Amino acid sequence: MKRLSIIILSFLILAVWGCNTVIIRPWNSPNALKTSEKIRVFLGKAESDLMIKADGVIFVYDVNDLLIKRAYDAVSLDAKKLKAPIRFVADNPGLEYKGRKFRGEILLQPDKNGNVLLINRVPLEEYLYSVVPSEVPAGWPTEALKAQAICSRTYAIREILNKKDTAYDVESTVNSQAYSGMAKENPRTTQAVRDTEGVLAVYEDDPIHMFFHSNSGGRTETPDQIWGGKRLPYLESVASRFDEAGDNFVWKEILNQDKMDQTLSSLGVGSIQSVQVLSRTPSGRVDLLEVIGKQGTSKIKGKEFRNLLGTSVKSLRFGIKRESEGFLIKGMGAGHGVGLSQWGSFGMAKQNFTYAEIIRHYYQGIEFARITR
């Protein structure tokens, strides 16, 4: 009994920094997820002339897990002719597709639209080995890397739970979170993943919506202001003063007349004469604008305006005015502004904040839990 108590206590207490104790309780998934759970990552649509490489033997299995082919170093096929799913497994880690190596296995899965989906099925923790350094530089302070590992793991778990009936869980791009395969892995970020193995941020026992972005410009946004829907109690707008040390804390762009006219042509107002900000969210981000042209005017939401202008508008925390050389846009921050600011996390870690303090600042009222083995 005494030994059991010690085991439970060591499981609940992850680490102690002075008087700052991080309590991590067990998390029992409703779907019996384990730390070894595999995540399905969409890599793209397969081309007709497809080649999979590996250092050693490649095994190809059909939908019934029957071995249908064994090859050395490479397998090529016309993916467009595939009528049923197959999967590739290598005896040495690292299946290569288009010059990138991936852990786990690669699935080819035909869909109802005549496409063949290329999916990397990889253990969750090994997936994070690539995600964390794809999202933030591996040279960042250790506590910032741990914070990112927990953010990325929690995000991934929510997607796994919500995508049980879909072909894949996440994409390999920033549409989900960046994932670049084995070449991006780094010992420092791999260690951060291992040091936080299985740890999630939860609210009322559910993995939270763990949104994150590059730089908040000094204050984060609430998700309802960006995507609509209801407010989330753990995602209130908070000050993020350490963003000042990061890229794109302040930025400006000048767009000439032709660029503005071309980019906003879908509004049907003719040559753009001025753009006025009509309202802002409580965090200072643009909510509604009026675009005035020679042939009319159009009101447009800030998010839509940013989508039309693309990378020229790095965040919705901006102002715009017409000048002689074009339209001057000055702003603060980069990304949607919801949840953890990665540059804010960097700044906090540089000031010796722990990963737990970083995460609790951006997601208030959350708890930490570890996926049970």
Side-chain angles (χ1 to χ4, degrees):
M1 188 67 182
K2 181 179 179 181
R3 183 181 178 186
L4 178 61
S5 298
I6 293 173
I7 292 172
I8 293 173
L9 182 62
S10 63
F11 188 73
L12 288 174
I13 301 177
L14 179 64
V16 178
W17 293 278
C19 296
N20 184 19
T21 303
V22 181
I23 303 298
I24 300 180
R25 59 181 179 77
W27 181 70
N28 296 304
S29 163
N31 295 77
L33 292 180
K34 302 295 183 183
T35 52
S36 59
E37 180 78 9
K38 291 183 178 180
I39 187 168
R40 301 166 300 164
V41 188
F42 177 58
L43 302 179
K45 295 177 182 177
E47 300 170 353
S48 296
D49 185 16
L50 180 139
M51 180 172 289
I52 302 292
K53 299 180 181 180
D55 296 326
V57 182
I58 303 173
F59 303 94
V60 186
Y61 296 89
D62 69 7
V63 69
N64 297 311
D65 283 335
L66 296 176
L67 181 64
I68 57 175
K69 186 177 181 66
R70 181 187 287 108
Y72 292 91
D73 299 331
V75 176
S76 60
L77 73 157
D78 184 350
K80 296 296 184 183
K81 295 181 178 180
L82 200 63
K83 301 301 180 184
I86 60 173
R87 64 187 179 94
F88 300 84
V89 181
D91 60 349
N92 294 315
L95 284 166
E96 181 180 333
Y97 171 69
K98 286 189 173 181
R100 293 196 297 171
K101 287 187 176 182
F102 299 92
R103 293 178 180 271
E105 56 193 30
I106 288 179
L107 314 179
L108 292 183
Q109 188 165 312
D111 68 10
K112 61 183 179 181
N113 299 317
N115 300 309
V116 176
L117 309 182
L118 194 78
I119 298 168
N120 180 204
R121 188 166 174 262
V122 57
L124 174 62
E125 298 296 314
E126 295 181 16
Y127 162 73
L128 297 174
Y129 292 167
S130 175
V131 168
V132 176
S134 297
E135 282 288 346
V136 296
W140 276 16
T142 299
E143 295 303 304
L145 300 181
K146 290 179 182 179
Q148 183 63 52
I150 293 172
C151 285
S152 292
R153 182 182 294 107
T154 306
Y155 175 87
I157 286 294
R158 276 198 69 93
E159 294 301 287
I160 291 172
L161 292 174
N162 292 334
K163 302 285 182 64
K164 286 293 184 182
D165 298 323
T166 61
Y168 53 86
D169 304 309
V170 294
E171 298 182 33
S172 61
T173 68
V174 293
N175 287 338
S176 297
Q177 50 187 354
Y179 172 68
S180 307
M182 294 175 66
K184 194 67 177 180
E185 293 178 13
N186 182 280
R188 295 191 77 248
T189 45
T190 295
Q191 191 60 50
V193 172
R194 290 173 176 166
D195 287 346
T196 62
E197 181 181 357
V199 178
L200 309 172
V202 299
Y203 186 84
E204 296 181 347
D205 211 36
D206 289 326
I208 69 171
H209 291 273
M210 206 120 192
F211 303 116
F212 50 87
H213 58 281
S214 178
N215 191 317
S216 77
R219 176 162 286 277
T220 66
E221 183 59 279
T222 58
D224 56 296
Q225 295 288 352
I226 300 296
W227 302 298
K230 64 180 181 180
R231 293 284 287 267
L232 296 172
Y234 52 82
L235 275 175
E236 291 297 325
S237 176
V238 299
S240 185
R241 63 187 178 90
F242 291 106
D243 285 336
E244 294 181 16
D247 294 346
N248 295 314
F249 179 69
V250 248
W251 51 267
K252 69 177 181 178
E253 293 281 346
I254 297 177
L255 302 181
N256 62 34
Q257 187 69 52
D258 289 343
K259 178 69 173 179
M260 286 291 286
D261 291 348
Q262 179 183 357
T263 305
L264 301 178
S265 61
S266 60
L267 300 181
V269 299
S271 183
I272 308 301
Q273 301 302 294
S274 70
V275 179
Q276 304 292 329
V277 175
L278 298 181
S279 64
R280 294 183 179 273
T281 70
S283 75
R285 287 169 171 83
V286 173
D287 174 50
L288 186 68
L289 307 103
E290 184 174 45
V291 181
I292 301 168
K294 284 187 175 180
Q295 297 174 14
T297 65
S298 176
K299 291 181 180 178
I300 181 174
K301 296 292 287 184
K303 181 183 176 182
E304 184 183 352
F305 182 80
R306 185 180 174 220
N307 288 340
L308 289 173
L309 268 69
T311 56
S312 297
V313 180
K314 294 178 173 59
S315 82
L316 288 176
R317 213 167 184 214
F318 72 88
I320 182 170
K321 67 176 182 176
R322 183 168 186 167
E323 295 189 336
S324 57
E325 61 267 35
F327 291 83
L328 173 65
I329 306 174
K330 295 180 70 174
M332 301 177 70
H336 51 64
V338 179
L340 178 136
S341 165
Q342 291 167 322
W343 275 108
S345 172
F346 168 85
M348 291 183 72
K350 292 283 282 185
Q351 295 297 317
N352 298 318
F353 287 90
T354 66
Y355 78 79
E357 292 170 318
I358 293 168
I359 290 175
R360 283 174 174 153
H361 174 71
Y362 290 104
Y363 311 93
Q364 299 191 344
I366 62 93
E367 297 178 280
F368 293 103
R370 177 180 275 118
I371 304 170
T372 54
R373 294 179 180 275

